[in-house]
Amino acid sequence: MKNESTEHYDVVVIGAGVSGMYALHHLREMGLSVRVYDGASDIGGTWWYNRYPGARVDGPGSPFYCYTFSEELMKEWEWAETQSDQSAVLAYLEHVADRFDFRRDIQFETWVEDARYDEATQRWTVETHTGARASAQFLICAVGALSTANKPDIPGIQDFAGECYHTGQWPHEPISFEGKRVAVLGTGSSGIQSIPEIAREAAHVTVLQRTPQYAFPAGNRPITAEEMAHARENWDVLREKMNGNVAGFPCDNQERSALDDTPEQREALYERLWQRGGFNFFLELYSDIATSEEANLSLADFVRAKIREIVHDPETARKLLPDYFVITKRPILENGYFDAYNRDNVSLIDLREDPIERFNTTSVVTRSGEHPIDMLVLATGYDAISGSMLRLNPKGRGGKSLKERWTDRFHNYLGITVSDFPNLFMIHGPGSPGVFYNMPLGAERQMDWIGQCMRHLSDQSLGSIEPTVESEDAWANEVSALANITLFPRTDSWWTGANIPGKPRYFSVYLGGSIYYQRINDVKDKGYAGFTFEPKN
Ligand code: N01
């Protein structure tokens, strides 16, 4: 039987991942009462769910994929590797939760089933599957940009009787691959990280590839004591650099064009970055790889040559060669992915030449024949960026749902707010730099802005804030104008929604991270230009 009582807070936060945890911290510091809900049984969000073999940070990584709000926190935590694995990131987040006593304000294993705005009271009410219900003036959706799993609808897939796991919903108990014939569907970051790990144990791995990928050496290695000491001693400078960098990492923004260099000089730079590995590859590249076709081709050719060099069988190498602009799908770092194809127990099916016809109880059947398998790993990604907001489907003014509002595109202003949904704020939503930015830092910076906005309402005795439709339209044009300078919209990717049948197809991320934070602060400094307010009822 459902418990019908309603608890009242200043703010309800949905999601206890990296963003929701910081939101809780910041709101508490503001002296507000907060309730956080999460469907998982502990903190961590993406890092709680993604336990597949090989899962690790692939950004410039530790120690910069972390919160920056507490200097003590930064200084006391030891990172072991440059690209921490999932368990190390989760251990860090658990430490943060313990240190700041987050869990007392989080209700776990509680799925928010409905969120509705009441115009008379200017408050949101959320209903959960347990019957717990809460109301709050503000609703913060920290629901994750990569958390709604994409499970492909392939004929017969439900009939497959073997083990089947999605990488983003990996079981908590150990999964053994020993002696098993495993098919991995999907070759994005999750597939490329997991395939070499699975291949080490499994009897056979069949990779089902729809689109070949450019992947770059991860270059993961232990962090030295000197590097940790340097980061700690120079934290103020590094943090400032992170705030000024286009992607939120302590790197210089690049200004040199690939076309300023000779082919030999370009080759030398690519080779040096390739040998070192790591995400800095992309941050230290020429400035125009994502904007000039010619510059892009120079790097694409370099990577294709590397794939041919690493993969011994020429036919397999041919199937692995991407034929679109490099880095226009999310760049991927690999730890032995291409080399895995040199093993006897790994084979590749190119679904463009040999598509899946169906699954049956024991096999995947492609045009060329039947491939018996014991396990299917779905590394098929997410309904990214907008999917989790639509799954929540909040109801705003007049009971209008987000699904009704977001039919043709994901209307928003500043990537944070939506008209007709007063007092609702998104972290890492569409229209924000979200997935193109250091996500913990981005969450902090967006949440700080949201906190200032809440403070403004309170200081001015205002009951609600929401953007105008005109400001949403202008923001949409700005997001698209920035994207259209680049080659990104010209490739099918989850950035453009192309991976989900029927999803609006456009590039919904705000490019140019540090510019974004100037933009949203300008809006604030101009008295929240583009927003409308209502007095307190
Ligand atoms: O998902 P993806 P992911 N039939 O969407 C294929 C972050 N991340 O989980 O390219 C056949 O990238 C799909 O094919 P195609 C990171 O931002 C970070 O790997 O659409 N194939 C693709 O190959 C990353 O980008 C880390 O043609 C189908 C794959 O499945 C994001 O999460 C680690 C299919 C999906 O790749 C998502 O990565 C992991 C179908 N019906 C993830 N549907 C870090 O290291 C999909 N595919 C921090």
Side-chain angles (χ1 to χ4, degrees), residues 52 56 58 152 186-190 193 210-211 329-330 379 381 494:
Y52 62 84
R56 54 175 71 244
D58 66 356
T187 51
S189 303
S190 306
Q193 284 183 335
R210 183 163 74 181
T211 310
K329 276 164 112 65
R330 161 67 154 77
W494 60 258

Side-chain angles (χ1 to χ4, degrees), residues 133-424:
R133 185 195 284 173
S135 95
Q137 185 182 5
F138 300 108
L139 179 67
I140 295 187
C141 302
V143 289
L146 291 159
S147 54
T148 299
N150 169 36
K151 294 191 177 164
D153 184 17
I154 299 172
I157 197 162
Q158 303 298 344
D159 302 332
F160 177 64
E163 295 167 82
C164 181
Y165 308 109
H166 189 283
T167 48
Q169 298 172 340
W170 201 258
H172 284 216
E173 62 275 10
I175 298 300
S176 169
F177 305 101
E178 211 170 314
K180 292 178 185 162
R181 297 160 301 177
V182 181
V184 180
L185 177 60
T187 51
S189 303
S190 306
I192 284 182
Q193 284 183 335
S194 59
I195 286 162
E197 300 294 323
I198 298 172
R200 254 176 232 135
E201 230 188 273
H204 192 85
V205 177
T206 304
V207 179
L208 302 163
Q209 169 195 271
R210 183 163 74 181
T211 310
Q213 285 277 7
Y214 298 93
F216 300 76
N220 181 40
R221 59 174 176 76
I223 296 188
T224 64
E226 293 72 31
E227 284 169 320
M228 275 312 299
H230 177 268
R232 290 186 177 118
E233 282 156 23
N234 298 284
W235 185 231
D236 286 347
V237 177
L238 292 167
R239 201 171 36 186
E240 211 176 306
K241 218 167 182 185
M242 287 161 81
N243 284 328
N245 177 253
V246 68
F249 290 104
C251 306
D252 295 318
N253 293 321
Q254 300 304 312
E255 275 159 26
R256 188 168 180 78
S257 159
L259 310 179
D260 291 338
D261 278 355
T262 63
E264 293 73 28
Q265 286 168 323
R266 285 198 290 264
E267 180 86 8
L269 174 70
Y270 298 153
E271 186 61 38
R272 184 164 57 73
L273 295 175
W274 185 273
Q275 291 309 329
R276 191 190 55 187
F279 209 85
N280 279 26
F281 194 111
F282 314 110
L283 301 174
E284 294 178 22
L285 267 178
Y286 298 112
S287 61
D288 53 354
I289 295 292
T291 52
S292 150
E293 288 190 28
E294 195 181 341
N296 192 281
L297 182 65
S298 70
L299 179 61
D301 281 345
F302 175 86
V303 182
R304 284 191 282 255
K306 285 291 183 194
I307 297 171
R308 279 195 215 94
E309 202 178 294
I310 300 168
V311 179
H312 300 164
D313 173 42
E315 181 55 10
T316 305
R318 181 188 66 77
K319 292 178 187 171
L320 287 167
L321 294 185
D323 59 358
Y324 50 89
F325 297 119
V326 65
I327 75 166
T328 55
K329 276 164 112 65
R330 161 67 154 77
I332 296 180
L333 296 188
E334 57 98 20
N335 289 286
Y337 170 68
F338 290 121
D339 201 35
Y341 290 100
N342 296 327
R343 300 175 66 108
D344 292 338
N345 69 336
V346 177
S347 56
L348 176 66
I349 296 179
D350 178 353
L351 300 179
R352 294 173 307 177
E353 295 172 356
D354 187 12
I356 299 175
E357 291 187 338
R358 64 184 182 282
F359 284 85
N360 61 33
T361 50
T362 55
S363 307
V364 52
V365 183
T366 64
R367 187 184 289 160
S368 66
E370 185 159 343
H371 313 272
I373 52 171
D374 305 301
M375 185 192 291
L376 173 62
V377 173
L378 296 172
T380 42
Y382 302 91
D383 183 353
I385 306 172
S386 53
S388 299
M389 281 301 300
L390 283 166
R391 183 173 56 175
L392 174 67
N393 196 27
K395 319 296 180 307
R397 278 193 193 285
K400 184 189 259 187
S401 73
L402 194 65
K403 280 186 183 161
E404 290 170 281
R405 189 78 228 292
W406 279 5
T407 48
D408 54 337
R409 64 183 295 142
F410 313 116
H411 301 278
N412 68 82
Y413 182 42
L414 311 183
I416 300 178
T417 57
V418 184
S419 98
D420 276 342
F421 293 78
N423 296 354
L424 177 150

